[in-house]
Amino acid sequence: MEAGKFYLSFTGKNRPPKENEVLLWSEGESWNDFGYKIHCICRLINPNDGKPFEVRMLVGFFEPRSAISDERIKRINYKSSSLMDMLPLIRSLDREGELDKLGFFTMLPNMQAYRTAVSSLGPDVLDQVLSVTNDVVLYKDKKNDWLDHAMATEVFKLGFMRNSEAFFAFSNADSVLGGVEEEKFDGISQNLTLKYKLESFNNDHEIKLNYEQSGYIPKRINILIGKNGLGKSQALKSFCRAALRYSDKSISLTADNVGGRPLINRLLAIATPGETQNTFPSERRTTQKLYYRRLSLTRNSRAKTTKSINEMLIQLARSEDFIGQSSRWELFLAAISKAIPIKNVVIQTREKGSVKLRKLVQGGEQARLEMWASVDKSSEPKILISNEWHSMSSGQLTFFKFALLCCLYIENGSFVLLDEPETHMHPNMISDFVELLDSLLEETGSQALIATHSAYFVREVSREQVHVFMSENGEMSIVNPRLRTFGADVESISQFVFDEDVDNRLVDKIYDKVKKLPFEQVREELEAELSMSAMLDLKSRMVS
């Protein structure tokens, strides 16, 4: 079967491709939950450099649309046949020159696979490869007579589209086929509705999450805030379980797009130590239908299965993945430079020496391998000042590790869940943290949902992005504040969000002591110590 300069072959043998051959190798019986065996390896010789290239691919088959008398084709069970199962028929049809009778289609499994393919092969060669393999992303915007038939098959609906990464790639990967500089970053669902029910309240709960990637005030972050005991963390947990499509009729997450299925590529759930396990469900990597990571902002962990900060730094430095035109390492350095002097950040080596953070990706291959091997995996990054190492503050380290985790695992179209990230963070650093988060979301076309007690987070976003949890008479309501939150003072936000009456209680005590005195005398003595709102409250009581 030929298309352009390439021709397609199917094989069950682990062999190298020939010149101009696109080889689909069935590497074995790879199942998913629904019994569809759709995985294979695509191999070819890259004509640009003469080197072998391979990428994992999904492949499916469908019954011919018109009546065909060939009994071999009629007998195929198209719902469960893998490439390995189809090989005898493929060889037979190929010998007879009738391989065009075979209905098949392919797709790369995620955005990174398309990004890697176009970066390695170039747009023109990749177009030829995807044409000869009947790639559904390539053909969804081209005239053809088979795509609708392929998309109607159970193999496509329950096999190809089972995982959210593939679902996202089918919707968005066409933007990178012309080159990664064309990649779009607005493919994630912009309008989501979360519905859930907490046993401690009489009513059902609903949160409408609206996002916007562009605009003068981008809206990439939504905030959940309120007093303790109102279920902010439970809302995050419900979002997480619904996005992972748990079998729970009490929760649902829907989108405004056609079909209502949320278009989310990856889900990253991040919390402080202890809260991570309490808030977010555990990972089930073999069965979950959405790429999901549960991550903790702890310092270096003693758990054997947990990588240290320095180990993750080496992993990131070794990564060759790009998102758009930026490498993950470049995203990381740009992110932490907003709040940490990266020129002074050093990584300790086992020989009690150090390596500057920015030099972890410099030098030749052998030099880098030796440098990475010398890093002390048990230590944490330090700040070098006047030739002395200084530990980062808890806030700096939280900031540093958050950026590291995000840049390791975030992808175009990710959703980041954060539970009380302000722990160990000085209020002045929260603005830097939000700037860091927003820049990462912007660079990757992603979005975030934060549960917090801190009014400092609220002042960083518009009121449409703020959801205040309130309770009255056994029912819990979730409302947007009347106050314009973006840039508002923290005191005003706290008074509305928490219904804080701290000033009122203080004024009560003061009033009992000064109520018989002239207000002007009291004002002269106390105005330097009381807030404006407390002074006005006191005045209203004394002169009424």
Side-chain angles (χ1 to χ4, degrees), residues 53 63 155 220 273 293 304 325 327 338 439 490 502 518:
F53 173 82
E63 194 172 357
V155 173
R220 292 181 275 265
R293 294 303 304 264
K304 293 181 180 180
Q325 298 185 69
S327 71
K338 297 179 183 299
S439 66
V490 172
V502 175

Side-chain angles (χ1 to χ4, degrees), residues 133-404:
T133 57
N134 286 353
D135 179 271
V136 290
V137 171
L138 176 72
Y139 276 100
K140 71 178 183 177
D141 294 324
K142 292 187 176 185
K143 290 183 178 180
N144 60 80
D145 60 356
W146 57 267
L147 182 62
D148 288 342
H149 190 67
M151 290 172 59
T153 62
E154 290 187 12
V155 173
F156 179 80
K157 292 185 290 186
L158 301 181
F160 278 51
M161 294 293 99
R162 169 184 174 263
N163 290 310
S164 290
E165 281 197 293
F167 180 61
F168 188 88
F170 177 70
S171 302
N172 292 284
D174 52 319
S175 69
V176 304
L177 298 185
V180 292
E181 66 276 3
E182 302 297 327
E183 184 170 359
K184 64 180 181 181
F185 291 95
D186 57 357
I188 192 171
S189 294
Q190 304 285 293
N191 302 293
L192 297 163
T193 300
L194 172 66
K195 295 182 180 180
Y196 65 105
K197 174 72 169 67
L198 298 180
E199 293 182 359
S200 53
F201 296 99
N202 299 326
N203 60 316
D204 295 334
H205 319 303
E206 179 179 289
I207 307 175
K208 289 190 175 294
L209 302 169
N210 298 314
Y211 294 89
E212 183 182 343
Q213 291 291 334
S214 57
Y216 292 113
I217 302 179
K219 299 173 181 178
R220 292 181 275 265
I221 302 170
N222 271 243
I223 302 289
L224 309 180
I225 191 167
K227 294 181 178 179
N228 284 329
L230 297 184
K232 300 182 298 297
S233 295
Q234 286 294 319
L236 287 184
K237 183 176 182 179
S238 296
F239 184 103
C240 199
R241 289 169 60 88
L244 291 170
R245 290 186 269 167
Y246 273 53
S247 298
D248 187 343
K249 294 182 179 179
S250 68
I251 58 175
S252 69
L253 182 66
T254 56
D256 286 354
N257 50 276
V258 177
R261 178 177 172 182
L263 197 58
I264 299 173
N265 194 6
R266 292 187 173 190
L267 186 65
L268 306 181
I270 305 175
T272 52
E275 292 303 318
T276 308
Q277 292 183 348
N278 295 334
T279 301
F280 300 118
S282 59
E283 298 174 11
R284 302 175 180 176
R285 298 190 193 181
T286 58
T287 60
Q288 63 196 26
K289 303 176 184 66
L290 171 63
Y291 181 101
Y292 166 62
R293 294 303 304 264
R294 188 177 71 172
L295 307 167
S296 174
L297 288 176
T298 183
R299 303 175 80 102
N300 278 347
S301 174
R302 295 180 181 179
K304 293 181 180 180
T305 57
T306 303
K307 290 185 177 180
S308 69
I309 295 176
N310 281 354
E311 284 178 309
M312 289 190 290
L313 272 174
I314 299 304
Q315 181 183 345
L316 184 62
R318 299 185 70 150
S319 172
E320 297 181 355
D321 286 356
F322 276 68
I323 300 178
Q325 298 185 69
S326 300
S327 71
R328 292 184 179 274
W329 182 257
E330 290 168 339
L331 286 176
F332 173 66
L333 291 185
I336 63 170
S337 65
K338 297 179 183 299
I340 297 175
I342 61 171
K343 67 179 181 179
N344 295 332
V345 177
V346 296
I347 312 302
Q348 292 177 253
T349 64
R350 293 194 304 273
E351 292 78 20
K352 307 302 180 183
S354 66
V355 177
K356 286 194 173 183
L357 177 69
R358 292 190 296 185
K359 292 187 176 181
L360 280 180
V361 296
Q362 297 178 4
E365 181 179 5
Q366 182 175 346
R368 292 198 309 272
L369 289 172
E370 291 175 351
M371 175 173 53
W372 295 335
S374 72
V375 168
D376 180 5
K377 306 297 193 301
S378 63
S379 68
E380 295 176 343
K382 297 290 192 294
I383 303 292
L384 185 63
I385 301 176
S386 300
N387 293 322
E388 292 187 5
W389 294 338
H390 298 269
S391 296
M392 292 185 183
S393 68
S394 295
Q396 285 179 318
L397 199 63
T398 297
F399 194 97
F400 187 94
K401 189 172 183 184
F402 172 76
L404 176 58

